[in-house]
Amino acid sequence: ISDTLWEQAAAEVHSREAAAGEEDRGEAVSERTVFLMGSKAGGKTSILHRCLDRDEPSKPTLALEYTFGRRARGHNTPKDIAHLWELGGGTSLSDLVQIPITAGGISCLSVILILDLSKPNALWGTMEKLLQAAQNQLERVSSRDQQAQKAKHQTPVHSAARVFPKDYPDRELISPFPVPLLIIGSKYDIFQEFDSDKRKVVCKTLRFVAHYYAASLIFTNIKSESLMSKTKSFFSHLAFGLDRGKTVSCDSTKPLIIPAGSDSFSQIGSPHTTDVDITSLHAKNPKDLWKKVYERVFPQENTSEQRELRDPTKDPQYGELQIDAMRAQKDQVAHLDQSHACVVLLYSCTCKLCTLILWQITS
């Protein structure tokens, strides 16, 4: 009763603004970034298309490609957005990780590493180089961000740090990747035909690596609807924050499905060895030991792939009839200009060799 009309009106306005603010916060659009990298021709694009329900043919990824996905949380609600970067060329273009990994995006960034299980002799080298490149870039960006905050006399925010509960398995022994990481083993249909001992080596090694980095691990095959459905759940968890499911499979005779935090070093055990004396390997740390054992079973191919990309101007999949005809005409003119320049140079020289070459050309 003591409130004046103006005070009551002001209170009503504040009440409505507060309610509108709560509604806006509830409908705020979520934006996340997912960076895919992995084995050359390992099926990255095919897996991405299946996870996005896109029915279109997969083409070889040229350098670094961008696309996006959207998903509505409910009826008449704004769609969440996932920015999706895919690195092509295997390890040859690892320098390009600096494009999707930036200071402004670390807090909402996730990484997916896709490894070709059908080529175990290139698996460790590919995994090691790509993860190292991504981790180095994350550390550089985080360090620059902290230095900038110190220069502004602000409290540094460790944007790339991941927080784990106290009961996380082997919390003191692992070395978590700076951002959420998912490792996908592709082409499981080929891998399942391998000798059982070799399958065990690959399975146990990837289980160790995934747990060491606090990453999730799943084996998949684009021909299997069941495996792709589970793979899509893991992808949607990173891209849109959805539940990834509770399925866990650690049996090396079946496709591995291991969410982060579901494994432990005691369950994984020691490296699978048959004719390798572990004491003779002189490993510097547990990760180095697993690497040496793995490379004894699967000697690694040279991962320093040629940095040359197939010339896109001559690639049939990018063909444009009129443009290609004009380019061919330009190349022909350039070739004639070079030939004319060579003849002029020969005429200007009086040595016997140039005179002989000029005589052969004109005769």
Side-chain angles (χ1 to χ4, degrees):
I1 298 174
S2 62
D3 289 344
T4 65
L5 183 61
W6 291 113
E7 289 172 337
Q8 292 179 22
E12 178 66 20
V13 169
H14 288 314
S15 176
R16 291 183 181 183
E17 288 179 347
E22 289 294 328
E23 185 176 347
D24 290 341
R25 282 192 290 274
E27 294 184 359
V29 174
S30 168
E31 292 193 36
R32 301 178 185 224
T33 300
V34 180
F35 176 39
L36 292 89
M37 58 184 184
S39 305
K40 188 174 183 179
K44 297 183 292 295
T45 306
S46 298
I47 291 173
L48 179 59
H49 284 177
R50 292 292 299 274
C51 289
L52 295 174
D53 295 324
R54 292 181 182 174
D55 186 16
E56 55 187 80
S58 300
K59 297 179 180 179
T61 303
L62 187 66
L64 181 69
E65 296 187 359
Y66 169 83
T67 187
F68 66 91
R70 294 190 297 175
R71 187 183 188 282
R73 292 183 224 171
H75 185 62
N76 290 334
T77 59
K79 292 184 177 181
D80 293 336
I81 300 172
H83 302 282
L84 308 169
W85 294 88
E86 181 186 348
L87 179 67
T91 61
S92 63
L93 297 172
S94 58
D95 292 345
L96 294 180
V97 300
Q98 60 187 306
I99 296 175
I101 301 178
T102 59
I106 292 182
S107 60
C108 58
L109 174 70
S110 300
V111 173
I112 297 179
L113 176 67
I114 300 177
L115 300 172
D116 188 345
L117 296 175
S118 70
K119 298 178 181 178
N121 294 87
L123 188 147
W124 186 281
T126 298
M127 173 181 67
E128 186 175 50
K129 184 169 184 178
L130 289 177
L131 287 180
Q132 191 62 56
Q135 188 162 5
N136 289 345
Q137 175 63 11
L138 284 163
E139 291 173 354
R140 279 194 296 269
V141 168
S142 181
S143 176
R144 286 199 297 265
D145 189 39
Q146 290 180 31
Q147 290 174 3
Q149 290 170 358
K150 286 181 180 179
K152 295 178 182 179
H153 305 290
Q154 297 177 353
T155 304
V157 178
H158 300 282
S159 57
R162 296 169 65 192
V163 179
F164 296 90
K166 293 183 178 180
D167 60 347
Y168 193 92
D170 307 310
R171 187 171 181 266
E172 303 299 325
L173 302 176
I174 61 176
S175 178
F177 200 70
V179 297
L181 172 65
L182 168 62
I183 300 176
I184 299 178
S186 65
K187 303 185 182 181
Y188 179 77
D189 54 326
I190 300 175
F191 175 72
Q192 66 181 346
E193 302 298 329
F194 283 16
D195 175 75
S196 61
D197 282 338
K198 291 187 175 181
R199 283 204 313 271
K200 287 180 182 178
V201 172
V202 174
C203 289
K204 293 190 72 172
T205 300
L206 288 181
R207 283 180 64 187
F208 170 83
V209 171
H211 185 54
Y212 180 78
Y213 285 117
S216 296
L217 173 65
I218 185 171
F219 287 178
T220 195
N221 166 24
I222 59 172
K223 300 174 185 177
S224 169
E225 292 297 330
S226 174
L227 288 178
M228 279 309 307
S229 175
K230 292 180 175 62
T231 304
K232 184 179 177 181
S233 296
F234 277 81
F235 170 83
S236 298
H237 175 69
L238 298 179
F240 303 110
L242 303 182
D243 183 27
R244 65 188 171 194
K246 298 180 180 179
T247 304
V248 178
S249 174
C250 301
D251 189 349
S252 62
T253 62
K254 300 176 182 178
L256 296 183
I257 305 173
I258 309 175
S262 302
D263 214 344
S264 67
F265 290 138
S266 61
Q267 291 178 337
I268 297 170
S270 59
H272 184 77
T273 58
T274 52
D275 55 352
V276 180
D277 181 11
I278 293 181
T279 59
S280 66
L281 297 178
H282 306 294
K284 295 177 289 187
N285 51 55
K287 182 185 170 187
D288 189 45
L289 174 63
W290 281 86
K291 176 183 178 179
K292 290 180 181 296
V293 171
Y294 185 87
E295 290 181 341
R296 283 289 184 93
V297 181
F298 298 106
Q300 294 296 283
E301 300 170 354
N302 184 14
T303 56
S304 58
E305 303 163 327
Q306 292 108 3
R307 301 184 66 84
E308 59 178 16
L309 283 176
R310 185 171 52 181
D311 188 351
T313 64
K314 299 176 182 178
D315 194 325
Q317 69 174 321
Y318 305 118
E320 293 287 349
L321 186 61
Q322 293 180 340
I323 295 176
D324 291 344
M326 293 173 65
R327 178 58 190 258
Q329 184 179 5
K330 180 180 178 182
D331 291 344
Q332 186 176 10
V333 170
H335 177 70
L336 291 174
D337 288 344
Q338 290 177 353
S339 299
H340 180 261
C342 289
V343 172
V344 171
L345 185 62
L346 289 171
Y347 268 116
S348 65
C349 183
T350 57
C351 73
K352 292 182 178 180
L353 179 60
C354 289
T355 304
L356 178 61
I357 295 174
L358 186 61
W359 177 79
Q360 290 179 337
I361 293 175
T362 56
S363 61

